[in-house]
Amino acid sequence: MSGAAGCQGGGGGGERGHRWRRPWKLLALGLLSASSVLAAAPGAGAMSKEEKRRLGNQVLEMFDHAYSNYMEHAYPADELMPLTCRGRVRGQEPSRGDVDDALGKFSLTLIDTLDTLVVLNKTKEFEEAVKKVIKDVNLDNDIVVSVFETNIRVLGGLLGGHSVAIMLKEKGEYMQWYNGELLHMAKELGYKLLPAFNTTSGLPYPRVNLKFGVRHPEARTGTETDTCTACAGTLILEFAALSRFTGTSIFEEYARKALDFIWEKRQRSSNLVGVTINIHTGDWVRKDSGVGAGIDSYYEYLLKAYVLLGDDSFLERFNTHYDAIMRYISQPPLLLDVHIHKPMLNARTWMDSLLAFFPGLQVLKGDIRPAIETHEMLYQVIKKHNFLPEAFTTDFRVHWAQHPLRPEFAESTYFLYKATGDPYYLEVGKTLIENLNKYARVPCGFAAMKDVRTGSHEDRMDSFFLAEMFKYLYLLFADKEDMIFDIEDYIFTTEAHLLPLWLSTTNQTISKKNTTTEYTELDDSNFDWTCPNTQILFPNDPMFAQSIREPLKNVVDKSCPRGISRAEESLGSGPKPPLRARDFMASNPEHLEILKKMGVSLIHLKDGRVQLVQHAVQAASSLDAEDGLRFMQEMIELSSQQQKEQQLPPRAVQIVSHPFFGRVVLTAGPAQFGMDLSKHKAGTRGFVATIKPYNGCSEITNPEAVKEKIALMQRGQCMFAEKARNIQKAGAIGGIVIDDNEGSSSDTAPLFQMAGDGKNTDDITIPMLFLFNKEGNIILDAIREYEAVEVLLSDKAKDRATIFKGKMIPNYIIDSNLEVENMDQKLSENDSHKQNAEEATSASQDVGAVSEEPEEGESSDVTDPDSLSPANADSDSVSISNQDSYVPGTDEAGAPEPACTRGDNQPQEQKTEAESNSKVNWDNKVQPMESILADWNEDIEAFEMMEKDEL
């Protein structure tokens, strides 16, 4: 997700440069000149020009590291695999599902990076890259791709490259040979995407075959019925730019038709849109609504379409949606999904990382206070986990632990700094740089985080990392004189590609008829926070931004913020807020009375547990019934979370010897026996050795090679515990079992844990970890190349400074001082492997759920040999009938403790044995009981869809 640059300066010259200077109705882009209004906040300390320049140069070095490794090891493949130092070619690697739909065998990363090269002043490299794209890239491949991803990354990349190419050509030094070749390729690609729009609604199919479209049997597409709102609503900038660059109006017409259809299908009473829509009927398939995954860039493109195209209808639609977002979804500092037909009630208790773009969009809108609040909350989450987890709960626990190096938070940081001039945001950017270098940098690039809790890596470096992350970080620290062109002459697409603002007056073939007001009467208050009201935003108070952030400084670690309840919001100090599941105690008579009012009954079981059953018709009122539905849904989610927390988390294998120096961290499965690495914070460190026999199922024949080493062995032919006993007897200090299933990878398979043999395993005292085949081969390849390879087995990756305390290593590994030199001489490979590493950070409470699943084809008295338990298995269910909701098995003695209690601001681990993952929904609006019951089946369906939600 990306924002627009400023639009204060002139356009591309001539009459093109004046039309877009429209009256300041909303153009919050003018905020980018507001930095002069706000002085440095006291205590924050203005960053010196030398420090800013040093950080800018550091960003350049990081970009060079990532880009050069892509070009050396991956090009012409779509993406770099930074752990195995090779290109990701679709069809040659295990499928990652929808993630691979971005790959079309068209050198994705290079195209996505074109205009970034110019922003970073790498004009020679840009010229070479454009020549490679023109010469090598084929857009006519028989391959099915995502329309959305191909549009924002490839079409946007070609158009962004063309935009800066003609700018450089006009300047007269570079690209003098350029004759619109990138634009010709963009037009070719645009025509290849058009068959996806062959639907009665005008909404595109989510996928298209680049060679055959959607209608031929060879296309293997055209059967889909659903698409996400963002997928259909994030086309207008690229398609309109293509139309206006080429004079071919059809692209803009198709994109406008899709946007018009979504607008017409919005929920009329709430003015919200759902996540998923049927492309044929227009029915909402998923009725939850937020600003994150599935919807995000739809809102972004409405505002930016107004800026780029000058059509007031887009502005009015955006303001209508924005009013609904701030009314229902925004619960500062949180942004929580709601149901479009019952917007007063939350649809889930977690947030996804894609919403991190929203503070930047709010800056463009001009609504600075909530932007500061949400950004600060996100920053506190980052400070806790080093990166923003893919999803996290409202009490800031990890929900999905991955982090694919997303740039949205850096984007919002850039826009907030441009809006406020507050040096605090420069320090935030510095933190992002340091974390990327300390935790994501590997010898062949930067690796996505497999799990932010352990610090383990995934063999993945998405194209958006180069396209967006370095662009925003460089612009954050760059002064105007550092740029070779005026960035404010361009708008950023959602992939941060540059489109010139003078396009607003070029080839205007589309009618500007305003159809918005046919549907809604706009509230003038929507326009209160608009530019250039910098005096309102910053009322001569240099402490403005700091005063907004200050109450949120400890929001993650020391408090459990709760949004104002709807009742409190409407009644002031009114009635007490409803009972929340996290606060419920089965032994509290007051709580039982509240449950009775809500229509919730407790059934005591013989084993000491209680079942919760809700009968909406037995509630004291419709509001109480809705509170009961909320309580049941919260109890279900607490149950799911607690089930995960009872199980073993993933572990980390960190390669600490030359040339890795702790920068490569592999996701490892834990064992149900042996040393518990979470209780031995220093972990186990040692050189690795391959055992004989390799399966470890009999006495080790090379004990001299294994003694005081970490033994490597292959999975299969006997129990894990038997392998552990054999290597322990040979003197090994730890063991790593490598999967024998060729091509298996933690990228595509759920985490597994090694089960015991059904006997007492207290005699096993060494740690044992499991690596999938791909991760194991990374270690085996390192042995072949470097012979002596040292690793650290731990519960989570350790800080480099801790690992190498007292040893000579390259400075940038510890303090991000990126002067890479003489790495070979900095660390002796013969240093003692017994040196203890101190714990860098405490482990998160969130872990993956584990359930045992024996391996097929192997047997034992108790469990199968090498049996593995999928860490994310989830077989819970809930039975619902006759408008009743039911939660089985809450332990009365161990009822869920509050996550935060009065007098104690430290979050407590939530405890419950209620079992279910199906979800039900509710509404706080006062409405007749019949209405509540009529919505019941719709609620159940919506929650079942949410269970399948993936980013």
Side-chain angles (χ1 to χ4, degrees):
M1 226 51 57
S2 306
C7 58
Q8 295 240 319
E15 72 173 353
R16 313 189 295 196
H18 301 285
R19 166 63 181 87
W20 54 266
R21 292 176 181 269
R22 293 182 287 275
W24 286 101
K25 193 173 185 181
L26 173 134
L27 275 184
L29 295 108
L31 280 171
L32 299 188
S33 65
S35 56
S36 59
V37 177
L38 185 67
M47 182 176 287
S48 68
K49 195 161 186 173
E50 292 74 18
E51 176 71 356
K52 280 184 65 178
R53 186 170 298 278
R54 183 186 73 81
L55 290 168
N57 290 335
Q58 200 170 87
V59 173
L60 293 175
E61 191 281 335
M62 293 164 66
F63 172 84
D64 288 341
H65 177 65
Y67 180 72
S68 62
N69 272 287
Y70 166 75
M71 295 304 295
E72 179 181 351
H73 297 294
Y75 182 81
D78 284 316
E79 290 179 349
L80 169 68
M81 299 171 67
L83 297 183
T84 50
C85 301
R86 68 178 192 270
R88 182 180 293 279
V89 179
R90 192 165 171 186
Q92 294 182 15
E93 302 293 334
S95 173
R96 300 175 298 171
D98 292 349
V99 175
D100 284 340
D101 286 342
L103 311 181
K105 296 183 179 178
F106 37 35
S107 301
L108 172 64
T109 297
L110 183 61
I111 292 178
D112 218 359
T113 308
L114 287 176
D115 54 10
T116 303
L117 289 164
V118 179
V119 172
L120 272 56
N121 300 332
K122 298 181 178 295
T123 47
K124 290 182 180 179
E125 292 89 338
F126 170 73
E127 194 156 10
E128 294 171 1
V130 172
K131 290 178 180 178
K132 284 183 179 294
V133 169
I134 296 170
K135 176 177 175 288
D136 298 339
V137 171
N138 178 22
L139 298 173
D140 197 40
N141 300 313
D142 179 11
I143 193 166
V144 176
V145 296
S146 161
V147 172
F148 167 73
E149 296 289 358
T150 304
N151 173 64
I152 65 171
R153 301 202 207 187
V154 186
L155 183 59
L158 292 170
L159 292 172
H162 173 70
S163 298
V164 294
I166 58 177
M167 177 271 296
L168 290 173
K169 184 175 182 179
E170 286 181 4
K171 286 181 177 292
E173 184 177 355
Y174 295 97
M175 304 299 293
Q176 295 306 299
W177 55 270
Y178 181 70
N179 195 31
E181 289 86 351
L182 293 180
L183 182 59
H184 298 318
M185 294 180 68
K187 188 174 182 180
E188 177 190 354
L189 181 60
Y191 278 120
K192 289 183 175 297
L193 295 180
L194 285 185
F197 293 82
N198 191 15
T199 61
T200 55
S201 67
L203 298 179
Y205 284 101
R207 296 172 184 83
V208 67
N209 186 296
L210 289 174
K211 191 176 185 70
F212 299 107
V214 296
R215 285 305 179 193
H216 299 88
E218 299 93 337
R220 302 185 302 280
T221 63
T223 60
E224 302 97 336
T225 58
D226 307 330
T227 192
C228 73
T229 301
C231 300
T234 311
L235 300 160
I236 186 63
L237 292 187
E238 292 83 0
F239 273 46
L242 181 57
S243 284
R244 298 190 179 204
F245 270 130
T246 62
T248 306
S249 63
I250 189 171
F251 304 107
E252 185 171 345
E253 290 170 358
Y254 273 116
R256 281 177 176 265
K257 184 178 179 183
L259 274 180
D260 291 345
F261 190 83
I262 295 173
W263 169 253
E264 190 169 351
K265 291 298 180 180
R266 77 193 185 284
Q267 213 288 327
R268 298 303 176 90
S269 62
S270 68
N271 282 320
L272 294 173
V273 292
V275 172
T276 308
I277 190 171
N278 186 295
I279 59 178
H280 303 297
T281 66
D283 294 334
W284 291 109
V285 178
R286 279 199 35 199
K287 304 176 179 67
D288 46 317
S289 182
V291 297
I295 303 179
D296 46 8
S297 49
Y298 163 69
Y299 294 132
E300 178 186 7
Y301 269 37
L302 284 178
L303 177 57
K304 293 180 181 178
Y306 164 69
V307 176
L308 184 65
L309 307 178
D311 188 336
D312 287 351
S313 68
F314 292 130
L315 174 61
E316 294 176 4
R317 293 180 193 183
F318 172 80
N319 276 310
T320 301
H321 285 315
Y322 187 79
D323 179 69
I325 290 168
M326 299 310 291
R327 188 186 304 272
Y328 304 122
I329 294 170
S330 177
Q331 300 179 38
L334 309 179
L335 292 162
L336 297 177
D337 282 22
V338 299
H339 290 292
I340 58 175
H341 60 292
K342 292 188 285 185
M344 298 297 288
L345 295 159
N346 299 330
R348 64 188 190 191
T349 59
W350 50 272
M351 296 167 279
D352 64 70
S353 63
L354 285 172
L355 61 76
F357 92 101
F358 197 67
L361 188 63
Q362 288 181 305
V363 169
L364 302 185
K365 158 69 176 169
D367 202 354
I368 200 74
R369 178 181 292 274
I372 292 173
E373 290 174 334
T374 299
H375 180 275
E376 183 61 26
M377 176 270 292
L378 295 170
Y379 185 42
Q380 297 302 319
V381 175
I382 288 173
K383 289 204 290 188
K384 180 175 182 179
H385 299 293
N386 299 320
F387 298 98
L388 198 61
E390 197 73 324
F392 54 95
T393 63
T394 53
D395 55 353
F396 310 110
R397 299 152 76 87
V398 172
H399 185 75
W400 294 333
Q402 307 97 318
H403 173 74
L405 305 181
R406 293 198 186 278
E408 285 77 18
F409 182 77
E411 170 191 350
S412 289
T413 302
Y414 164 62
F415 284 108
L416 272 168
Y417 176 65
K418 290 299 181 182
T420 66
D422 191 334
Y424 177 84
Y425 296 109
L426 296 177
E427 296 297 331
V428 173
K430 181 179 179 181
T431 299
L432 298 182
I433 291 173
E434 290 174 345
N435 287 352
L436 283 171
N437 277 311
K438 288 174 68 175
Y439 304 112
R441 184 170 180 139
V442 296
C444 282
F446 291 83
M449 307 307 296
K450 179 74 173 178
D451 192 314
V452 298
R453 298 163 299 186
T454 64
S456 57
H457 291 141
E458 190 173 355
D459 202 3
R460 171 181 180 183
M461 191 179 82
D462 289 84
S463 68
F464 53 67
F465 181 62
L466 282 168
E468 300 186 66
M469 180 68 82
F470 295 116
K471 192 175 290 176
Y472 287 124
L473 288 178
Y474 181 75
L475 289 172
L476 177 65
F477 295 105
D479 292 321
K480 194 165 187 177
E481 57 267 26
D482 297 325
M483 303 290 296
I484 62 174
F485 66 101
D486 191 348
I487 196 72
E488 295 192 11
D489 288 345
Y490 298 82
I491 190 170
F492 287 162
T493 70
T494 194
E495 191 79 2
H497 294 307
L498 301 177
L499 298 177
L501 289 167
W502 54 256
L503 286 174
S504 62
T505 58
T506 303
N507 295 320
Q508 294 185 55
T509 59
I510 307 299
S511 169
K512 298 295 194 304
K513 179 185 176 184
N514 185 343
T515 58
T516 302
T517 51
E518 295 176 19
Y519 303 119
T520 183
E521 185 173 331
L522 291 175
D523 183 352
D524 288 340
S525 65
N526 282 323
F527 301 95
D528 285 350
W529 288 80
T530 55
C531 262
N533 60 351
T534 51
Q535 293 304 311
I536 297 175
L537 295 175
F538 313 108
N540 297 318
D541 181 7
M543 293 286 290
F544 177 76
Q546 183 178 341
S547 66
I548 297 174
R549 290 192 303 264
E550 199 61 38
L552 303 171
K553 287 295 186 184
N554 298 317
V555 70
V556 171
D557 289 326
K558 294 186 178 179
S559 64
C560 294
R562 176 180 58 83
I564 298 175
S565 73
R566 306 300 184 185
E568 292 173 312
E569 194 175 74
S570 59
L571 301 175
S573 60
K576 291 182 178 179
L579 176 65
R580 310 311 294 258
R582 64 173 180 253
D583 301 325
F584 171 68
M585 298 187 68
S587 58
N588 187 323
E590 182 180 351
H591 289 181
L592 297 179
E593 187 62 30
I594 294 174
L595 257 61
K596 184 177 180 181
K597 284 187 63 180
M598 296 189 300
V600 178
S601 303
L602 268 68
I603 301 174
H604 294 264
L605 303 179
K606 293 180 180 180
D607 61 6
R609 297 181 300 157
V610 295
Q611 292 177 341
L612 301 179
V613 182
Q614 203 236 9
H615 305 269
V617 294
Q618 296 179 8
S621 68
S622 61
L623 278 177
D624 288 317
E626 291 165 3
D627 288 341
L629 292 178
R630 178 197 292 110
F631 177 85
M632 296 295 289
Q633 186 266 342
E634 289 179 351
M635 187 63 77
I636 289 168
E637 293 202 3
L638 286 182
S639 168
S640 175
Q641 183 67 34
Q642 188 268 346
Q643 184 187 28
K644 292 179 181 179
E645 291 173 355
Q646 287 181 335
Q647 309 302 330
L648 294 176
R651 303 302 187 199
V653 176
Q654 194 167 6
I655 308 179
V656 297
S657 53
H658 164 82
F660 304 97
F661 299 111
R663 292 176 297 166
V664 171
V665 186
L666 307 175
T667 301
Q672 296 175 345
F673 52 85
M675 178 191 293
D676 184 351
L677 290 168
S678 66
K679 296 178 181 178
H680 294 77
K681 299 301 183 181
T684 295
R685 178 172 175 172
F687 288 90
V688 294
T690 303
I691 63 172
K692 297 179 182 178
Y694 189 32
N695 59 32
C697 292
S698 59
E699 184 175 349
I700 306 303
T701 59
N702 62 335
E704 69 288 345
V706 174
K707 188 176 182 181
E708 298 298 318
K709 302 282 182 65
I710 293 174
L712 296 179
M713 68 209 80
Q714 189 177 45
R715 175 192 179 192
Q717 301 184 32
C718 65
M719 303 293 295
F720 287 124
E722 185 177 347
K723 297 175 189 286
R725 290 188 177 99
N726 287 333
I727 64 170
Q728 181 174 285
K729 183 179 179 182
I733 59 173
I736 298 175
V737 179
I738 298 175
D739 193 9
D740 59 349
N741 181 15
E742 188 68 30
S744 66
S745 167
S746 64
D747 293 354
T748 54
L751 183 73
F752 285 92
Q753 70 173 2
M754 295 183 287
D757 57 3
K759 305 172 185 177
N760 190 318
T761 55
D762 290 345
D763 59 315
I764 302 175
T765 59
I766 60 174
M768 293 288 292
L769 296 180
F770 177 87
L771 289 178
F772 282 109
N773 185 266
K774 177 183 171 183
E775 285 78 8
N777 280 335
I778 291 175
I779 294 181
L780 295 175
D781 289 344
I783 293 174
R784 282 189 284 270
E785 187 165 355
Y786 303 106
E787 295 185 1
V789 174
E790 190 178 14
V791 301
L792 173 65
L793 314 183
S794 59
D795 63 330
K796 65 185 301 182
K798 305 304 180 186
D799 185 272
R800 280 54 160 177
T802 300
I803 295 174
F804 300 107
K805 188 175 181 181
K807 298 185 178 185
M808 292 291 291
I809 60 169
N811 287 335
Y812 74 89
I813 292 177
I814 295 180
D815 61 11
S816 303
N817 181 11
L818 300 172
E819 297 179 2
V820 184
E821 57 180 17
N822 301 325
M823 289 178 58
D824 295 3
Q825 305 173 16
K826 299 300 184 179
L827 180 65
S828 169
E829 295 177 9
N830 296 321
D831 284 337
S832 169
H833 56 73
K834 290 185 176 181
Q835 177 177 348
N836 289 333
E838 299 173 9
E839 180 187 8
T841 54
S842 60
S844 167
Q845 293 176 341
D846 297 276
V847 297
V850 183
S851 64
E852 295 188 7
E853 183 177 292
E855 183 179 357
E856 183 177 336
E858 298 177 340
S859 61
S860 175
D861 291 340
V862 179
T863 185
D864 295 332
D866 287 7
S867 62
L868 298 181
S869 305
N872 294 316
D874 192 346
S875 59
D876 295 337
S877 62
V878 63
S879 56
I880 305 174
S881 62
N882 300 323
Q883 289 78 44
D884 295 344
S885 59
Y886 161 78
V887 179
T890 300
D891 189 338
E892 185 170 10
E897 295 292 335
C900 244
T901 56
R902 293 175 184 170
D904 179 9
N905 286 332
Q906 296 297 329
Q908 303 294 317
E909 186 171 349
Q910 300 163 341
K911 301 175 183 177
T912 179
E913 291 183 12
E915 298 175 0
S916 177
N917 262 345
S918 296
K919 297 184 175 75
V920 291
N921 288 296
W922 60 89
D923 182 4
N924 251 355
K925 292 172 75 174
V926 178
Q927 54 181 302
M929 182 63 68
E930 293 78 8
S931 175
I932 298 174
L933 300 181
D935 285 340
W936 182 260
N937 288 330
E938 192 174 26
D939 296 336
I940 296 172
E941 180 188 15
F943 257 149
E944 287 174 346
M945 291 302 301
M946 267 180 273
E947 280 299 296
K948 301 175 182 178
D949 182 28
E950 292 183 0
L951 285 179

